[in-house]
């Protein structure tokens, strides 16, 4: 079964040297079970162009978001996680949806669909943004890039089908008003990410153009193996690194070349999840959903001052009405937690330390390979969101002490201006 598939990976994910007192079967169940609820599927799944290469390198393939993807490689999740923090890791993220938005009214359209500020999005710059619904909830989180002649938009694999229904509806209504916009898949592309402090050193010899000039969320078109690729300095690990949109016919040769470097290891979904969790980054379906607003998720920073003043995006009335409220007036707030002992599962309840009244829920949690302690992200009722607040978390029937802490749990290493 899918659950047995997930549980059987645990021993390699958290060896005893890191978690001698932790039930390792429970740890992996926590780390990936939430993803399973959202995106693990049965039936016929698609394969990226790198499927055979994953198998060659010892990838353990599992269904994820309608795709067969590697959850880990032969070196195990902990080793590849730590390797990414120290050197460089290669991730296949070709299952993500890559969209092109064209037409003279594309900026007006994307500002209706999302909270992004295109007037402050310089050419070849990207930004994390949110697709919102009429209630102010989050349909998906997305990366939007001004690629010059078009907008390049990346959406989550597990949300792609639903996102496209929503986007097509908004597009049709927009066009009915005489507006010029076209949303299409950026066909024939694969997407890989090279992450870690040595990413630039490893990638530069394969690229025509100076990568050192790129800072966080800046990118451009570069030649790799004689084909045009879009490279952006960004990622989902908290480390320096790059995301490379490359024509599919070149992705295997390119990936094999990167993996031939002694500083590069292939990285699977398991380490990708633990890396993003250490960086305090949201995972859709866990920290974000259609009933959670930007302020509740602590993502108001994605909405610029101009967009806050002018609105104009779907759900703006609801989102903007909440912005002036004090945090104490919110029904919930996203927080980070250190948990004593075994890590908390997705769905573990959070309680008042004295009365044991439930005041929140864990949305993601794991044993941090870097910190060697249990970390979690969740939502609590204010005023229990304050850093330093002591709480209890119900970890598989045992109340364990927890403390609200700042995120990221591990400092980020993005390259700034």
């Amino acid at each position: 079964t899918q659950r047995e598939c997930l549980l059987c990976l645990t021993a390699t994910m958290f060896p005893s040297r890191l978690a001698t007192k932790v039930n390792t079967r429970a740890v992996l169940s926590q780390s990936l079970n939430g993803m399973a609820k959202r995106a693990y599927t049965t039936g016929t799944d698609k394969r990226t162009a790198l499927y055979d290469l994953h198998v060659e390198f010892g990838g353990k393939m599992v269904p994820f978001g309608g795709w067969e993807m590697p959850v880990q490689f032969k070196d195990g999740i902990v080793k590849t996680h730590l390797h990414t923090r120290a050197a460089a890791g290669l991730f296949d993220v070709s299952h993500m949806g890559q969209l092109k938005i064209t037409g003279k009214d594309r900026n007006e359209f994307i500002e209706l669909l999302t909270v992004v500020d295109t007037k402050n999005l310089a050419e070849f710059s990207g930004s994390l943004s949110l697709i919102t619904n009429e209630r102010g909830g989050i349909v998906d989180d997305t990366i939007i890039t001004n690629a010059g002649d078009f907008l390049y938009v990346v959406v989550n694999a597990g949300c792609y089908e639903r996102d496209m229904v929503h986007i097509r509806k908004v597009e049709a209504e927009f066009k009915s008003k005489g507006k010029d916009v076209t949303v299409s898949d950026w066909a024939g592309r694969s997407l890989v990410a090279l992450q870690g402090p040595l990413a630039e050193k490893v990638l530069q010899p394969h690229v025509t153009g100076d990568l050192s000039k790129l800072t966080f969320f800046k990118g451009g078109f570069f030649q790799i193996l004689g084909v045009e690729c879009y490279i952006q300095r960004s990622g989902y690990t908290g480390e320096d690194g790059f995301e490379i949109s490359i024509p599919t016919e070149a992705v295997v040769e390119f990936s094999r070349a990167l993996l031939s470097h002694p500083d590069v290891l292939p990285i699977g979904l398991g380490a990708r999840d633990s890396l993003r969790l250490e960086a305090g980054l949201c995972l859709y379906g866990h920290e974000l959903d259609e009933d959670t607003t930007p302020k509740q998720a602590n993502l108001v920073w994605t909405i610029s001052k101009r967009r806050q003043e002018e609105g104009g995006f779907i759900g703006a009335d609801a989102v903007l009405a909440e912005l002036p409220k004090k945090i104490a007036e919110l029904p919930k707030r996203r927080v980070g937690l250190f948990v004593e002992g075994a890590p908390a599962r997705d769905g573990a309840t959070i309680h008042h330390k004295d009365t044991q009244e439930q005041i929140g829920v864990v949305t993601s949690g794991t044993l941090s390979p870097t910190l060697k302690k249990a970390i979690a992200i969740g939502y609590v009722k204010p005023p229990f969101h304050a850093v330093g607040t002591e709480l209890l978390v119900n970890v598989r029937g045992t109340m364990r002490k927890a403390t609200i802490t700042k995120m990221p749990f591990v400092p980020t290493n993005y390259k700034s201006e």
Side-chain angles (χ1 to χ4, degrees):
T1 68
Q2 293 172 14
R3 181 173 178 79
E4 289 168 341
C5 175
L6 293 174
L7 292 175
C8 73
L9 305 177
T10 308
T12 52
M13 180 175 182
F14 291 102
S16 57
R17 63 185 174 85
L18 286 183
T20 56
K21 295 183 179 180
V22 176
N23 181 325
T24 53
R25 289 175 65 86
V27 172
L28 184 67
S29 177
Q30 153 53 35
S31 183
L32 297 180
N33 188 44
M35 287 195 292
K37 293 179 189 174
R38 179 177 63 86
Y40 278 87
T41 59
T42 56
T44 303
D45 293 293
K46 293 174 282 187
R47 295 177 174 179
T48 74
L50 293 176
Y51 177 89
D52 290 339
L53 192 64
H54 296 325
V55 173
E56 178 184 332
F57 276 80
K60 187 170 185 64
M61 310 304 291
V62 298
F64 180 79
W67 296 80
E68 289 188 73
M69 300 296 292
V71 71
Q72 69 168 26
F73 288 87
K74 60 185 179 181
D75 290 304
I77 293 175
V78 169
K79 182 177 178 178
T80 53
H81 174 116
L82 295 173
H83 184 89
T84 303
R85 292 268 181 254
L90 182 65
F91 301 73
D92 180 9
V93 285
S94 302
H95 59 309
M96 305 286 280
Q98 297 187 75
L99 308 179
K100 288 181 70 172
I101 302 181
T102 56
K104 65 181 179 63
D105 297 316
R106 62 186 180 275
N107 287 351
E108 182 182 351
F109 172 77
I110 202 67
E111 287 200 352
L112 170 65
L113 184 70
T114 75
V115 303
V116 76
D117 184 349
T118 57
K119 291 185 178 179
N120 287 320
L121 194 63
E123 189 174 41
F124 305 127
S125 294
S127 175
L128 174 69
S129 193
L130 306 172
I131 302 173
T132 47
N133 60 29
E134 293 287 357
R135 305 187 310 278
I138 299 169
V139 175
D140 200 3
D141 56 323
T142 178
I143 302 296
I144 299 171
T145 297
N146 178 355
D149 295 336
F150 63 95
L151 294 173
Y152 170 39
V153 178
V154 178
V155 298
N156 284 300
C159 301
Y160 174 81
E161 298 295 339
R162 189 192 61 187
D163 283 355
M164 290 309 298
V165 171
H166 177 74
I167 291 170
R168 292 298 183 206
K169 179 176 181 291
V170 177
E171 179 188 20
E173 293 173 353
F174 191 74
K175 284 181 171 180
S176 72
K177 299 175 183 177
K179 301 291 186 176
D180 177 27
V181 71
T182 299
V183 180
S184 59
D185 285 310
W186 197 359
R189 311 291 293 193
S190 291
L191 187 64
V192 295
L194 186 66
Q195 301 284 291
L198 301 185
E200 182 182 305
K201 170 191 168 184
V202 171
L203 182 59
Q204 184 62 77
H206 302 277
V207 176
T208 57
D210 187 359
L211 295 176
S212 69
K213 294 180 179 179
L214 300 182
T215 54
F216 189 53
F217 265 124
K218 298 296 190 293
F221 288 98
F222 296 83
Q223 291 287 315
I224 297 176
L225 296 174
V227 296
E228 188 174 70
C229 303
Y230 191 85
I231 301 177
Q232 186 161 271
R233 199 165 204 139
S234 55
Y236 194 48
T237 64
E239 293 295 332
D240 186 23
F242 302 87
E243 293 176 304
I244 305 110
S245 177
I246 181 171
T248 294
E249 66 266 21
V251 71
V252 175
E253 183 180 355
F254 173 57
S255 297
R256 189 179 292 280
L258 292 179
L259 290 168
S260 70
H261 195 288
D263 290 324
V264 180
L265 286 179
I267 315 295
L269 294 172
R272 184 170 183 253
D273 191 54
S274 56
L275 286 160
R276 72 91 191 168
L277 213 163
E278 287 186 343
L281 301 176
C282 296
L283 175 63
Y284 195 86
H286 287 235
E287 287 71 49
L288 307 178
D289 57 42
E290 294 208 49
D291 296 315
T292 300
T293 66
K295 184 156 186 173
Q296 294 163 14
N298 200 9
L299 292 175
V300 171
W301 58 268
T302 64
I303 311 173
S304 70
K305 182 179 179 181
R306 179 179 75 83
R307 299 303 321 264
Q308 291 183 30
E309 292 173 348
E310 298 178 7
F313 53 89
I314 295 170
D317 289 348
V319 170
L320 301 184
E322 194 175 53
L323 295 189
K325 292 183 178 180
K326 296 179 181 180
I327 295 176
E329 299 177 78
L330 300 178
K332 62 181 181 179
R333 180 75 163 182
R334 183 170 66 93
V335 296
L337 303 101
F338 284 129
V339 181
E340 293 187 9
R345 296 173 179 269
D346 166 40
T349 51
I350 303 172
H351 300 261
H352 190 284
K353 70 170 185 174
D354 297 322
T355 67
Q356 296 197 8
E357 172 193 1
Q358 183 179 341
I359 55 173
V361 65
V362 170
T363 51
S364 295
T366 193
L367 179 68
S368 163
T370 303
L371 302 176
K372 298 178 176 61
K373 62 194 300 185
I375 60 175
I377 300 176
Y379 282 87
V380 297
K381 299 176 183 177
F384 301 104
H385 68 285
V387 171
T389 301
E390 295 180 352
L391 305 166
L392 296 173
V393 178
N394 187 339
V395 181
R396 295 176 291 284
T398 300
M399 289 293 188
R400 297 192 178 274
K401 293 180 180 180
T403 305
I404 302 294
T405 187
K406 291 183 179 179
M407 293 185 286
F409 300 98
V410 173
T412 57
N413 293 306
Y414 305 131
K415 183 175 180 179
S416 57
E417 297 285 352

